[in-house]
């Protein structure tokens, strides 16, 4: 009986080592795929500045459109219809 218990312990140790080996292999493979490949990744400070200016300009245009009389009256009409809807 002791021999089989010892064999089971060894088999479990081998399976555990196999699982750890596979985990390390997969982790190394994923790590290699996730590292930058030497190409330019991300934005530089100048690109951040240009992106910020573009976002601010877009926000200003949207603000002007939404606060215009036509859009404002349309939104008020839509909200009024929604609040006065019959169920």
């Amino acid at each position: 009986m002791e021999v089989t218990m010892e064999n089971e312990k060894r088999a479990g140790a081998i399976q555990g080592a196999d699982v750890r080996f596979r985990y390390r292999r997969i982790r190394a493979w994923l790590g290699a795929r996730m590292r930058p490949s030497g190409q330019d990744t991300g934005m530089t400070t100048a690109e951040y500045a240009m992106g910020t200016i573009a976002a601010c300009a877009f926000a200003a245009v949207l603000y002007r459109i939404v606060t215009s009389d036509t859009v404002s009256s349309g939104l008020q009409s839509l909200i009024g219809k929604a609040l006065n809807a019959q169920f």
Side-chain angles (χ1 to χ4, degrees):
M1 187 95 181
E2 291 176 7
V3 174
T4 53
M5 292 292 281
E6 189 64 35
N7 287 340
E8 287 180 16
K9 287 180 184 176
R10 285 183 187 159
I14 291 171
Q15 287 176 349
D18 188 44
V19 168
R20 287 189 298 272
F21 173 73
R22 287 182 184 178
Y23 173 76
R24 286 185 191 127
R25 237 173 96 189
I26 290 170
R27 191 166 172 184
W29 181 81
L30 285 173
R33 299 303 178 275
M34 299 301 284
R35 266 187 238 114
S37 61
Q39 296 175 351
D40 223 3
T41 57
M43 293 194 302
T44 62
T45 305
E47 290 168 332
Y48 276 117
M50 293 302 294
T52 303
I53 290 170
C56 290
F58 185 66
V61 169
L62 282 178
Y63 178 77
R64 293 288 295 214
I65 290 172
V66 170
T67 56
S68 69
D69 291 336
T70 306
V71 175
S72 181
S73 63
L75 286 173
Q76 287 177 355
S77 172
L78 179 70
I79 292 170
K81 288 178 185 177
L83 292 175
N84 294 326
Q86 298 292 325
F87 291 103

